Amino acid sequence: MRKVYRVLAFLVAIEVALQAMFIVYGDAGLGLWVDDGGVVDKATFENAFESGEAPFPEFQAFILHGMNGMMVIPLLALLLVISSFFAKVPRGVAFAFGVLVLVLLQVTLGLMGHSIAALGALHGLNALALFSVAAWTGIRSRAGAASKGADRESAERVAV
């Protein structure tokens, strides 16, 4: 179960990196589209969602960013918390809950950022914290497994 815990922690970190890639790819495409004469207003996005036709090819990255951030990452964080009860990683439950709290904060900042622009900056900053904590959670579980194996070896040497 420790391996499941580790994989889930690293998957959260990878998903956060993908989120950054999606949003920057979409933003770059939006900039190119505007440079070519495209006009951005609320109707542009509403029409894209209603008709299912993207105004520019990179628009799909915005959709991926939203779906990934609202569904995939929270699910992975929840599975990480569940696995933490069985993984027997020192302080693993606390770290898993830390990841979950940062994910919930990230979703909240992302949704509220549409109303208060300054929260967008905090959304980006929290993403860095979430990536770091998720990666560290995975690294810690690996280190715990290595030290546990070393403890067994030294106990076997003493017994012989």
Side-chain angles (χ1 to χ4, degrees):
M1 194 50 107
R2 184 184 294 254
K3 189 171 189 173
V4 170
Y5 176 90
R6 182 177 334 134
V7 167
L8 288 168
F10 284 133
L11 279 175
V12 171
I14 290 166
E15 288 290 326
V16 172
L18 283 172
Q19 285 292 87
M21 292 168 60
F22 291 150
I23 202 65
V24 173
Y25 180 64
D27 189 49
L30 176 63
L32 292 172
W33 184 66
V34 168
D35 285 347
D36 288 340
V39 178
V40 179
D41 60 7
K42 189 174 182 178
T44 304
F45 289 90
E46 287 175 354
N47 291 339
F49 287 116
E50 288 173 9
S51 70
E53 294 182 26
F56 52 95
E58 298 84 2
F59 182 81
Q60 302 303 322
F62 291 127
I63 295 169
L64 289 172
H65 182 84
M67 288 173 41
N68 198 45
M70 293 290 292
M71 292 184 272
V72 177
I73 296 175
L75 177 63
L76 290 173
L78 188 58
L79 291 173
L80 177 65
V81 167
I82 292 167
S83 71
S84 72
F85 292 109
F86 306 102
K88 297 181 182 164
V89 173
R91 294 182 48 211
V93 173
F95 273 83
F97 271 106
V99 168
L100 182 62
V101 167
L102 289 171
V103 167
L104 295 175
L105 178 60
Q106 188 68 357
V107 171
T108 302
L109 290 170
L111 292 173
M112 297 295 291
H114 294 283
S115 302
I116 304 168
L119 295 181
L122 294 177
H123 183 70
L125 184 62
N126 190 66
L128 294 173
L130 174 56
F131 175 85
S132 300
V133 172
W136 183 244
T137 298
I139 291 166
R140 285 185 74 260
S141 69
R142 186 179 295 168
S147 67
K148 203 172 201 180
D151 290 345
R152 275 193 218 127
E153 285 178 18
S154 60
E156 288 172 2
R157 278 187 234 149
V158 171
V160 172

